[in-house]
């Protein structure tokens, strides 16, 4: 799909989810909103996300007049709107009159009406109704000059196990396996526990009251759910594509919380192919009691770089909070200055927006205490509102130097959601210590700390555009992927892999004969077995004269052509290789056999950064907790210098730059207050 810009205006989007349908009985509130929107320096609002009951109060009876009024008010103040389709939460009348739209859970229980995101993606009626209401929205508002883009449903996720979905699952399998049950049984290892399928009608989705231990089936079910969701989305956007072909389309992606790792419910790399612009909802738990602010900021950076790399273009922050949320275990308020800093980080990593959930707090139900721009006091004088207004003013001053600017990286980390599905299913190793997403973020942080840009990519990208590719814990690897990585190294690339890499194929079957031949050749070694540690187990290795602790996993390695960089210090594999390197044609392949403390990754990757001459965007000296990120266009770099600590940080800028907001020339020592951000520009 051709890339589509959200807007040709050089204006960063600032605003968020606006729910006027909750306030139709309070016209004074709707008038007040327009005044406050201007005071908050906001310009863009997502409307209609959960408004189906207000748009279609009875089946076939539509009411758009209230929406007309809201849109005209926004337009009158120079604002833009992102118009949502309402399929994320259907009206009560629909569930009562057409119960086939209700989901069935894995235990085969049919749900009652309630909550949201609870519709059956196979329901023909629901698909028809979403198209019908979307067609009316497109006909009425498609040519409105303030329409910026379409927002499809909201945070797609979940699954249905009804009879329609079972039939669609079987049809999906028939297509995948060429209507050949022998192929299916081979991929699912059917003879295990006498689970051979002899008729397609015997296939059932995974269930706690049925089968959950056939890993190939589990993997195919997750693939089906992802494709079924994407198919529903594609069905929903048909009238929008037909009636408004030039209006970009998005749907908001998520992270997995509370770990704040990539979302595992759907294959976003596949989903991203179907949207014009990637957008996502970010709710990190700032000021938590488990990690310092800099560590969490690196996790945020990882996810931003994950979403940017999906289409190699700027994304949108569709939802965030200016204060707190209502669904963390502890819903802590952002400290003064953190909202400004955390929002600027989003822009630094490639977002062209800072949008909130929500504009105004609800009066009732589950989100009445979720953070918002306008609190229950309705005052522009409270701290949160003032911080939003301050950010809005700053965004207006830097828009010209940010909107549409690109991120450029020479380092890639492979993240594969199917790999995570398979790895989490594996009944071996440490059931609670696999932590695939967290492990990738730890590797990523070694580069974040040194201000080296990273793309978080799928296994299907062109590796040759990168000087360094990291593939930690790529447990599920096809021979095709192994050969592509081998070719990358042969042509001069540098590859790093770790323990638990390349153990199963794309059907989640172990490779016949052990490790794949392309991997053995590339790495010049072979992993023989993996030792799993209890929390009390201890081991370590020595690397460049320093001792580093090992935890959770250690791989026993048999070297062929590989050289040993570090050896285990204890246990029955004492003095055997723990870290290796192999020169393969024009490139190098490193293997980290153990899970090592963060300081090892800092030092190890620090050497690779130096060897490969990977350069940060700015020659700057600072302590840990300061992050420097850049966007660039037309030979100019816009650089964000951000202090993610609660202490004054004195930094040294070793080249001349211009502060975009103050027009100062900066060179030399500079003091950064806690949570302070400076935005500078330089050529090159």
């Amino acid at each position: 799909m051709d890339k589509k810009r959200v807007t040709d205006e050089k204006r960063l989007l600032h605003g968020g989810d606006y729910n006027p349908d909750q306030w139709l009985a309070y016209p004074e509130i709707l008038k007040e909103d327009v005044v406050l929107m201007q005071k908050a320096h906001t310009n863009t609002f997502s409307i209609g996300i959960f408004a189906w009951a207000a748009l279609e109060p009875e089946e076939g009876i539509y009411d758009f007049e209230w929406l007309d009024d809201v849109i005209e008010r926004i337009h009158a103040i120079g604002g833009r709107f992102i118009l949502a389709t309402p399929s994320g939460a259907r009206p009560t009348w629909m569930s009562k009159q057409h119960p086939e739209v209700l989901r069935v859970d894995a235990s085969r229980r049919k749900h009652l009406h309630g909550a949201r995101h609870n519709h059956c993606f196979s329901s023909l009626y629901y698909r028809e109704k979403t198209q019908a209401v979307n067609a009316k929205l497109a006909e009425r508002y498609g040519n409105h000059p303030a329409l910026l883009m379409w927002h499809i449903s909201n945070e797609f996720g979940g699954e249905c196990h009804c009879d329609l979905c079972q039939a669609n699952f079987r049809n999906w399998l028939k297509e995948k396996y060429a209507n050949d049950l022998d192929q299916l049984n081979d991929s699912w290892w059917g003879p295990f526990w006498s689970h051979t399928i002899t008729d397609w009608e015997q296939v059932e989705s995974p269930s706690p009251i049925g089968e959950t231990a056939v890993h190939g089936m589990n993997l195919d079910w997750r693939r089906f759910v992802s494709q079924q969701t994407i198919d529903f989305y594609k069905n929903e956007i048909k009238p929008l594509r037909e009636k408004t072909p030039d209006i970009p389309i998005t749907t908001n992606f998520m992270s997995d919380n509370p770990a704040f790792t990539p979302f595992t419910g759907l294959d976003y790399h596949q989903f991203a192919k179907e949207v014009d612009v990637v957008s996502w909802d970010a709710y990190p738990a700032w000021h938590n009691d488990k990690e310092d602010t800099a560590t969490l900021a690196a996790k945020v950076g990882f996810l931003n770089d994950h979403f940017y790399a999906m289409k190699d273009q700027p994304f949108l922050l569709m939802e965030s909070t200016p204060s707190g949320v209502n669904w963390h275990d502890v819903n802590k308020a952002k400290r003064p200055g953190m909202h400004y800093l955390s929002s600027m980080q989003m822009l630094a990593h490639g977002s062209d927006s800072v949008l909130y959930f929500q504009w105004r707090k609800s009066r009732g139900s589950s989100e009445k205490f979720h953070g918002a721009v306008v609190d229950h006091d309705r005052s522009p004088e409270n701290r949160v509102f003032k911080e939003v207004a301050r950010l809005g003013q700053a965004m207006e001053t830097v828009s010209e130097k940010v909107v549409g600017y690109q991120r450029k990286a020479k380092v890639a980390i492979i993240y594969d959601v199917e790999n995570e599905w398979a790895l989490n299913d594996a009944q071996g190793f440490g059931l609670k210590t696999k932590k695939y997403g967290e492990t990738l973020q730890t590797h990523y942080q070694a580069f974040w700390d040194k201000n080296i840009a990273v793309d978080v990519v799928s296994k299907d990208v062109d590796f040759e555009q990168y000087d360094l590719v990291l593939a930690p814990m790529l447990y599920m690897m096809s021979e095709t992927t192994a050969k592509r990585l081998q070719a990358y190294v042969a042509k001069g690339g540098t590859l790093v892999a770790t323990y638990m890499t390349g153990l199963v194929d794309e059907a989640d079957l172990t490779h016949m004969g052990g490790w794949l031949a392309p991997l053995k050749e590339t790495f010049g070694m072979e992993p023989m077995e993996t030792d799993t540690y209890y929390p009390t187990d201890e081991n370590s290795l020595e690397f460049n004269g320093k001792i580093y602790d090992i935890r959770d996993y250690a791989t026993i390695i048999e070297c062929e052509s590989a050289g040993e960089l570090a050896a285990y210090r204890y246990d029955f594999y004492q003095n055997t290789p723990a870290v290796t390197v192999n020169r393969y044609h024009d490139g190098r392949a490193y293997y980290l056999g153990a899970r090592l403390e963060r300081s090892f990754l800092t030092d190890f990757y620090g050497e690779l950064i130096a060897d490969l001459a990977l350069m940060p965007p700015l020659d700057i000296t600072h302590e840990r907790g300061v992050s420097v990120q850049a966007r660039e266009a037309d030979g100019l770099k816009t650089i964000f210098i951000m202090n993610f600590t609660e202490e004054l940080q004195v930094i040294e800028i070793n080249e001349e730059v211009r502060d975009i907001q103050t027009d100062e020339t900066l060179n030399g020592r500079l003091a950064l207050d806690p949570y302070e951000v400076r935005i500078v520009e330089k050529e090159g």
Side-chain angles (χ1 to χ4, degrees):
M1 179 180 294
D2 293 337
K3 295 178 181 179
K4 290 186 181 181
R5 281 278 303 282
V6 175
T7 175
D8 291 329
E9 299 175 5
K10 297 289 283 185
R11 177 164 73 164
L12 290 165
L13 309 183
H14 188 220
D17 283 19
Y18 179 35
N19 302 298
D21 46 299
Q22 295 182 20
W23 299 94
L24 296 181
Y26 303 84
E28 71 280 8
I29 293 290
L30 300 181
K31 292 178 181 178
E32 179 182 272
D33 280 332
V34 177
V35 175
L36 294 176
M37 286 171 180
Q38 296 173 86
K39 289 184 177 181
H41 292 267
T42 51
N43 57 43
T44 304
F45 301 91
S46 305
I47 52 180
I49 293 173
F50 297 120
W52 202 331
L55 293 170
E56 190 179 3
E58 300 178 43
E59 184 164 15
I61 306 298
Y62 295 93
D63 179 5
F64 295 107
E65 291 185 4
W66 65 271
L67 186 54
D68 294 344
D69 292 341
V70 168
I71 286 173
E72 291 311 316
R73 285 194 181 100
I74 292 172
H75 187 212
I77 61 171
R80 305 293 295 273
F81 66 95
I82 298 171
L83 189 53
T85 64
S87 63
R90 64 187 176 277
T92 310
W93 59 257
M94 187 182 295
S95 300
K96 293 296 183 181
Q97 294 170 212
H98 303 276
E100 65 269 28
V101 303
L102 297 168
R103 280 186 183 170
V104 173
D105 66 22
S107 295
R108 307 312 191 247
R109 297 175 303 179
K110 195 173 189 67
H111 289 188
L112 301 174
H113 179 83
R116 56 181 182 158
H117 311 306
N118 53 5
H119 44 275
C120 171
F121 290 132
S122 296
S123 168
L124 295 178
Y125 172 81
Y126 201 63
R127 287 176 172 237
E128 291 168 0
K129 285 300 294 182
T130 55
Q131 281 198 358
V133 69
N134 293 355
K136 290 188 176 295
L137 290 169
E139 289 162 1
R140 195 173 187 95
Y141 303 109
N143 293 319
H144 197 288
L147 176 62
L148 194 60
M149 67 188 307
W150 293 107
H151 178 316
I152 307 304
S153 193
N154 183 70
E155 297 182 336
F156 278 104
E159 57 192 47
C160 178
H161 298 256
C162 72
D163 290 343
L164 284 174
C165 289
Q166 300 291 347
N168 284 338
F169 180 40
R170 293 177 192 119
N171 289 335
W172 183 87
L173 292 170
K174 288 176 184 178
E175 182 175 351
K176 177 179 180 179
Y177 293 107
N179 206 30
D180 185 346
L181 282 172
D182 288 339
Q183 287 189 37
L184 174 77
N185 282 308
D186 186 56
S187 290
W188 289 9
W189 210 240
F192 178 76
W193 287 353
S194 197
H195 284 347
T196 301
I197 301 294
T198 58
D199 188 285
W200 290 105
E201 292 303 310
Q202 296 167 6
V203 172
E204 289 271 1
S205 61
S207 171
I209 61 171
E211 184 55 75
T212 60
V214 175
H215 293 170
M217 178 185 73
N218 294 344
L219 187 57
D220 274 345
W221 171 250
R222 293 185 179 100
R223 288 166 171 153
F224 163 75
V225 168
S226 196
Q227 289 302 312
Q228 177 84 333
T229 305
I230 294 170
D231 184 70
F232 180 89
Y233 159 90
K234 290 168 69 174
N235 178 82
E236 184 169 354
I237 68 173
K238 282 180 181 178
L240 308 181
R241 288 280 190 228
E242 292 169 0
K243 298 176 185 297
T244 59
D246 297 325
I247 301 297
I249 295 176
T250 191
T251 187
N252 46 340
F253 293 166
M254 300 178 281
S255 65
D256 265 352
N257 287 294
F260 208 65
T261 52
F263 182 64
T264 58
L266 298 170
D267 187 341
Y268 277 163
H269 284 297
Q270 295 301 319
F271 211 147
K273 296 175 183 178
E274 307 300 334
V275 302
D276 298 316
V277 179
V278 169
S279 65
W280 79 288
D281 303 344
Y283 294 105
W286 296 112
H287 322 295
N288 69 69
D289 62 347
K290 297 179 178 62
E291 60 201 342
D292 61 36
T293 302
T295 299
L296 181 54
K299 290 184 176 183
V300 177
F302 177 92
L303 286 170
N304 279 328
D305 295 346
H306 171 52
F307 289 116
Y308 183 96
M310 285 180 184
K311 295 188 81 67
D312 191 28
Q313 68 181 41
F315 60 90
L316 295 180
L317 175 62
M318 187 60 73
E319 290 184 20
S320 61
T321 177
S323 50
V325 298
N326 68 329
W327 47 268
H328 286 154
D329 289 340
V330 176
N331 297 293
K332 199 170 186 66
K334 283 183 175 178
R335 295 1 243 167
M338 177 49 76
H339 175 57
Y340 186 88
L341 170 62
S342 60
S343 298
M344 285 298 180
Q345 184 190 18
M346 294 292 172
L347 304 182
H349 280 266
S351 178
D352 277 352
S353 73
V354 176
L355 302 172
Y356 309 115
F357 181 83
Q358 51 193 325
W359 165 252
R360 180 186 287 274
K361 284 185 177 178
S362 301
R363 283 196 69 198
S365 294
S366 64
E367 290 174 337
K368 62 181 176 288
F369 295 120
H370 192 292
V373 179
V374 181
D375 211 326
H376 298 131
D377 62 10
R378 299 164 55 184
S379 172
E381 298 303 318
N382 67 48
R383 179 178 71 88
V384 171
F385 191 98
K386 287 181 177 179
E387 291 216 9
V388 169
R390 176 198 171 206
L391 174 67
Q393 287 179 299
M395 290 173 69
E396 291 166 359
T397 66
V398 303
S399 284
E400 291 267 344
K401 300 296 184 180
V402 177
V403 174
Y405 277 42
Q406 305 296 306
R407 294 263 303 169
K408 296 187 183 298
K410 300 303 291 181
V411 180
I413 295 180
I414 298 174
Y415 171 75
D416 180 15
V417 70
E418 290 194 358
N419 176 71
E420 186 155 15
W421 293 339
L423 182 58
N424 288 344
D425 235 7
Q427 292 170 275
F429 313 108
L431 298 184
K432 295 183 179 179
T433 58
K434 292 168 189 168
K435 297 183 178 179
Y436 174 60
E438 292 96 320
T439 299
L440 267 59
Q441 288 177 329
T442 303
H443 284 253
Y444 170 92
Q445 183 157 3
F447 297 88
W448 187 87
D449 286 341
K450 289 181 167 52
N451 309 314
I452 303 298
V454 176
D455 282 348
V456 182
V457 302
S458 79
K459 65 181 183 302
D460 300 318
V461 301
D462 175 12
F463 299 133
E464 291 182 25
Q465 63 188 300
Y466 300 104
D467 294 339
L468 175 61
V469 172
L470 281 56
M473 297 181 72
L474 197 56
Y475 163 82
M476 185 173 69
M477 187 185 297
S478 68
E479 188 159 2
T480 298
T481 298
K483 287 180 177 178
R484 291 184 63 244
L485 290 170
Q486 182 179 36
Y488 163 74
V489 176
K491 292 178 181 178
T494 300
L495 174 65
V496 179
T498 72
Y499 51 93
M500 289 162 60
T501 288
L503 302 186
V504 300
D505 68 10
E506 61 270 38
D508 203 2
L509 296 173
T510 58
H511 294 292
M512 297 283 283
W515 226 30
L516 288 167
L519 296 179
K520 294 178 186 178
E521 294 165 5
T522 304
F523 289 93
M525 44 73 64
E526 183 174 3
M528 305 308 294
E529 59 180 306
T530 301
D531 192 12
T532 303
Y533 288 7
Y534 287 102
T536 54
D537 288 337
E538 295 182 358
N539 206 336
S540 59
L541 57 75
E542 182 177 341
F543 178 71
N544 288 347
K546 293 174 65 176
I547 305 299
Y548 301 92
D549 289 336
I550 292 169
R551 62 185 187 278
D552 298 335
Y553 301 106
T555 305
I556 294 92
I557 294 170
E558 185 176 284
C559 283
E560 295 180 7
S561 59
E564 177 186 302
L565 296 179
Y568 295 109
R569 299 180 71 223
Y570 305 107
D571 221 311
F572 70 90
Y573 38 90
Q574 181 180 6
N575 297 324
T576 66
V579 179
T580 65
V581 60
N582 188 52
R583 171 69 68 176
Y584 182 74
H585 293 286
D586 293 334
R588 290 176 295 172
Y590 293 84
Y591 188 87
L592 309 183
R595 178 172 287 174
L596 289 142
E597 58 181 299
R598 192 168 71 187
S599 61
F600 171 85
L601 298 178
T602 298
D603 294 342
F604 172 76
Y605 285 124
E607 285 197 0
L608 288 185
I609 288 169
D611 289 346
L612 296 170
L614 300 172
M615 302 299 295
L618 181 64
D619 187 358
I620 185 171
T621 306
H622 59 76
E623 298 297 321
R624 182 181 177 274
V626 173
S627 176
V628 181
Q629 302 290 329
R631 296 176 65 169
E632 53 189 284
D634 302 324
L636 293 174
K637 288 183 180 177
T638 298
I639 303 167
F640 295 73
I641 307 170
M642 300 167 282
N643 180 9
F644 283 98
T645 76
E646 296 180 0
E647 293 82 37
L648 182 76
Q649 295 283 345
V650 178
I651 65 175
E652 190 87 22
I653 301 177
N654 303 313
E655 56 182 310
E656 193 170 282
V657 294
R658 183 182 71 87
D659 188 302
I660 290 173
Q661 294 169 291
T662 66
D663 206 33
E664 295 174 84
T665 297
L666 302 177
N667 191 355
R669 290 168 65 85
L670 178 69
L672 288 178
D673 288 330
Y675 300 157
E676 186 178 359
V677 181
R678 299 295 290 264
I679 307 174
V680 303
E681 181 183 55
K682 75 168 207 177
E683 294 183 356

